[in-house]
Amino acid sequence: WLKSLDPDLKMLKTGGGAQYVNFPGAKTCSYGVYRTSYKDVIDNKTTTYNRPKPEATEGEALHRALLNGIELRKDKITVMDGCRAQELIAEKSGRIIGIIAEKDGKTIRIGAKKGVALCCGGYEYGEAMRKAFFSGLPLAGWAFYGTTFNEGDGIRMGLEAGAALTKAPTCAARMIWAPPVEVRGMRIGVTTNNIGSPNTIVVNSLGERFVNESLITGGITNNCFYEKACEQSLKSLTY
């Protein structure tokens, strides 16, 4: 489907097989990892943001392919940048018929013939939801590397329209680096792709190693660090 949006896109297989090799069925597992690129290789150490499309790899390549697909159907698709959805418009029956949004400081109303899709994302940088759902130090303690625009707008609009909420205080988590950078009073995170590579160690706030780094081989095995991190105090976030 992605290649139908842009035939120049390449799907490169960069991994496969079960990550827990001793689990039943691991030897016959057909699981594979494919990553997008316009080059013949994947380089995840160098950003290709704002580079020419033939140089784009990974998420940037995926984004370029999606944009190309929109361009192919520009007679049917209108893209509105800098337009923040605020509220769903509902009939008395509850049927959603559009949205109220803000663009250039003005409130606009957009009708929807077939419905509205809420592509919610998370609420990593939504202060109210973090205070409501996270234990420990919800604002000063936790760090995330999701987009800083994930403030939970779609989740809030869904709730206001009568949607149910489940697993709100849970997240897909791993050990990341939290540099001294904040966005709206909340810490920002950076991925730690090199954990588990030769000659690297991880220490806690006391300078002590607390897990065997060689167990980390990528993917789901990063949970080994998260499992140990959960032994920290959720009140003080100290190990």
Side-chain angles (χ1 to χ4, degrees), residues 47-129:
T47 178
T48 59
Y49 177 64
N50 276 342
R51 300 293 300 167
K53 189 176 81 169
E55 300 179 15
T57 64
E58 299 209 272
E60 186 65 19
L62 172 63
H63 187 223
R64 298 294 186 93
L66 294 174
L67 289 177
N68 197 72
I70 290 174
E71 180 66 19
L72 294 175
R73 300 178 60 199
K74 61 183 179 181
D75 59 322
K76 298 180 179 180
I77 299 175
T78 300
V79 177
M80 300 176 68
D81 291 321
C83 183
R84 186 169 186 166
Q86 302 281 8
E87 183 181 347
L88 295 173
I89 303 173
E91 294 180 324
K92 290 184 179 180
S93 65
R95 178 175 175 265
I96 303 301
I97 58 173
I99 63 168
I100 297 174
E102 181 181 308
K103 183 171 177 60
D104 300 327
K106 298 180 180 180
T107 299
I108 61 174
R109 299 166 72 90
I110 303 171
K113 294 180 179 180
K114 296 183 178 180
V116 174
L118 292 176
C119 304
C120 296
Y123 57 84
E124 297 94 304
Y125 291 91
E127 180 176 329
M129 288 188 184

Side-chain angles (χ1 to χ4, degrees), residues 18 38 42 48 61 86 102 104 109 127 132 138 149 156 159 167 172 180 193 199-200 204 214 238:
Y38 283 95
I42 289 287
T48 59
Q86 302 281 8
E102 181 181 308
D104 300 327
R109 299 166 72 90
E127 180 176 329
F149 295 102
R156 174 186 53 77
L159 288 173
K167 297 183 179 180
N193 295 330
N199 306 315
T200 63
N204 61 21
S214 67
T238 56

